[in-house]
């Protein structure tokens, strides 16, 4: 399942909130064992902790141009990490 957060008046914060809400809802689905989050914002670290506590495997898909910024915390909290460019090549 892909969750799209189109631009709106709420901007980045609205998209971040929607992603967190949707991912938390997916965590209750027993048929989903892995959740891939495309992000590079350490604000998602509580979400990663919650998903892992729910027994989900969390994969961080970083956006290539932003690799190395605040994502170090997410990398440490994720079960696996790929860059967006890697994901496209391996698809």
């Amino acid at each position: 399942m892909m969750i799209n957060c189109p631009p709106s008046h709420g901007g980045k914060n609205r998209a971040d909130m929607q992603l967190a809400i949707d991912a938390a809802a997916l965590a209750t689905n027993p048929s989903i064992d892995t959740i891939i989050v495309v992000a590079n914002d350490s604000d998602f670290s509580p979400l990663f902790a919650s998903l892992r506590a729910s027994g989900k495997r969390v994969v961080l898909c970083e956006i290539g141009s932003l690799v190395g910024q605040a994502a170090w915390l997410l990398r440490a909290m994720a079960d696996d990490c790929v860059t967006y460019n890697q994901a496209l090549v391996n698809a």
Side-chain angles (χ1 to χ4, degrees):
M1 170 188 287
M2 181 175 196
I3 299 167
N4 182 24
C5 297
S8 70
H9 296 293
K12 178 190 170 301
N13 289 337
R14 181 186 179 283
D16 288 358
M17 182 65 73
Q18 189 64 53
L19 186 145
I21 290 168
D22 292 339
L26 290 174
T28 64
N29 185 332
S31 65
I32 295 175
D33 62 355
T34 301
I35 297 178
I36 301 170
V37 179
V38 180
N40 221 22
D41 186 339
S42 61
D43 290 347
F44 287 114
S45 58
L47 173 65
F48 279 41
S50 176
L51 292 172
R52 293 194 66 202
S54 298
K56 302 300 179 186
R57 180 173 177 264
V58 179
V59 176
L60 170 64
C61 183
E62 295 177 312
I63 300 167
S65 64
L66 299 176
V67 171
Q69 292 181 359
W72 63 268
L73 178 59
L74 294 184
R75 283 187 208 118
M77 297 185 78
D79 293 294
D80 199 4
C81 180
V82 296
T83 62
Y84 181 72
N85 294 336
Q86 245 182 329
L88 290 176
V89 169
N90 295 332

